Amino acid sequence: MNDSSQRLPIKISIEPELPALSWLAQLRENAMTVFCGSRVERFEGGIVEGCWDGLFEAHGFKESANFFGSGVVVKGDTVTFVSSTHTLEALYFFEDNTGVTASNSHAFLVEFCKLNLDVSKPYGHRFATLVKGVDRYRSVIGKIRDGMLRRIAYANISSHDGVLTISDKAQSPSFASYAQYHQYLLETLRKTFDNGTSPYRRETWAPVTSCSSGYDSAACAALGAALGNIEAVTLSAGQNDQDLSLIHI
């Protein structure tokens, strides 16, 4: 029997009133229902929002060391929730005796599951623990009703028979020189740009960078410009100015 015949049934519901790139997956014993915004990409066996350094039509973001977004992949009766390979975003889970509900939006998950958070709890501190690193942050946000609310970053989270298993992301290679590192950055960006403009997408994405007073944004802008024309966004006034408008350069 091939994999597609064994795959867990998925029902995808596009909800135009949701933010365009938000999604929520409700996993129950024999099926999964996904609610998502209009710009979430759908394919046989999953969903994805974002770009990565690989062919879009291969949908290999789960194995990528450079994935900028989030998604869900179903293979057989195992569901894998895929977080970004940076720590500015995470995935959120509520587990109880009815199953698992996952989302790329904490607010969406809390509202959908009708969770009443105890406002006296130090949630801000719990979220901030991610600055300690991906191996030391606090994953459990809180125990609510008969379930558990969790945030998981920089990992792939698989569900089989209702049990969540966390696995590490693929790692970037080691570098013997700065030149190798520089070339790797350029090649990763090129592949990611190609992914975002793939004709296999329902909607394509153009690369945009930012320019601030820090060195990191300038470095990213320089790398992007080396691959061709790229649009940049910056602020037209300083921090103490009330009129902070965006300009394109």
Side-chain angles (χ1 to χ4, degrees), residues 12-209:
I12 298 178
S13 178
I14 307 301
E15 306 292 340
E17 70 276 12
L18 290 175
L21 296 178
S22 66
W23 59 262
L24 180 143
Q26 189 176 44
L27 181 59
R28 297 300 179 255
E29 184 177 355
N30 297 314
M32 182 170 66
T33 302
V34 179
F35 305 93
C36 57
S38 59
R39 301 193 73 176
V40 175
E41 297 281 345
R42 292 88 67 192
F43 57 91
E44 185 180 1
I47 61 166
V48 64
E49 56 88 11
C51 303
W52 62 97
D53 58 342
L55 296 174
F56 175 79
E57 63 269 28
H59 304 126
F61 54 91
K62 181 167 70 76
E63 292 79 27
S64 174
N66 299 284
F67 174 44
F68 313 104
S70 63
V72 183
V73 178
V74 178
K75 185 174 183 180
D77 58 357
T78 298
V79 179
T80 302
F81 302 97
V82 186
S83 73
S84 179
T85 54
H86 61 72
T87 57
L88 296 179
E89 299 175 71
L91 296 182
Y92 301 89
F93 297 83
F94 181 65
E95 307 162 64
D96 61 10
N97 55 13
T98 67
V100 175
T101 305
S103 179
N104 64 346
S105 166
H106 177 253
F108 190 3
L109 180 67
V110 168
E111 175 63 23
F112 183 89
C113 295
K114 304 300 180 186
L115 303 179
N116 293 317
L117 300 181
D118 184 349
V119 295
S120 68
K121 300 295 184 182
Y123 294 116
H125 173 76
R126 295 175 188 179
F127 277 99
T129 59
L130 192 52
V131 300
K132 297 179 179 180
V134 295
D135 297 322
R136 299 180 59 195
Y137 75 97
R138 180 166 179 170
S139 174
V140 175
I141 298 174
K143 295 181 179 179
I144 304 172
R145 299 198 304 260
D146 296 324
M148 182 178 296
L149 180 61
R150 302 172 68 187
R151 172 192 59 165
I152 302 177
Y154 195 73
N156 293 339
I157 307 96
S158 297
S159 176
H160 181 76
D161 292 335
V163 178
L164 293 183
T165 302
I166 299 175
S167 57
D168 293 336
K169 290 286 189 181
Q171 297 297 301
S172 299
S174 299
F175 308 102
S177 66
Y178 177 79
Q180 286 185 3
Y181 174 59
H182 181 255
Q183 186 58 39
Y184 178 77
L185 291 178
L186 288 174
E187 187 66 12
T188 297
L189 277 179
R190 183 189 64 77
K191 291 179 179 179
T192 303
F193 290 177
D194 289 345
N195 182 289
T197 57
S198 170
Y200 291 94
R201 287 179 171 272
R202 288 180 171 84
E203 295 190 54
T204 57
W205 300 88
V208 177
T209 189

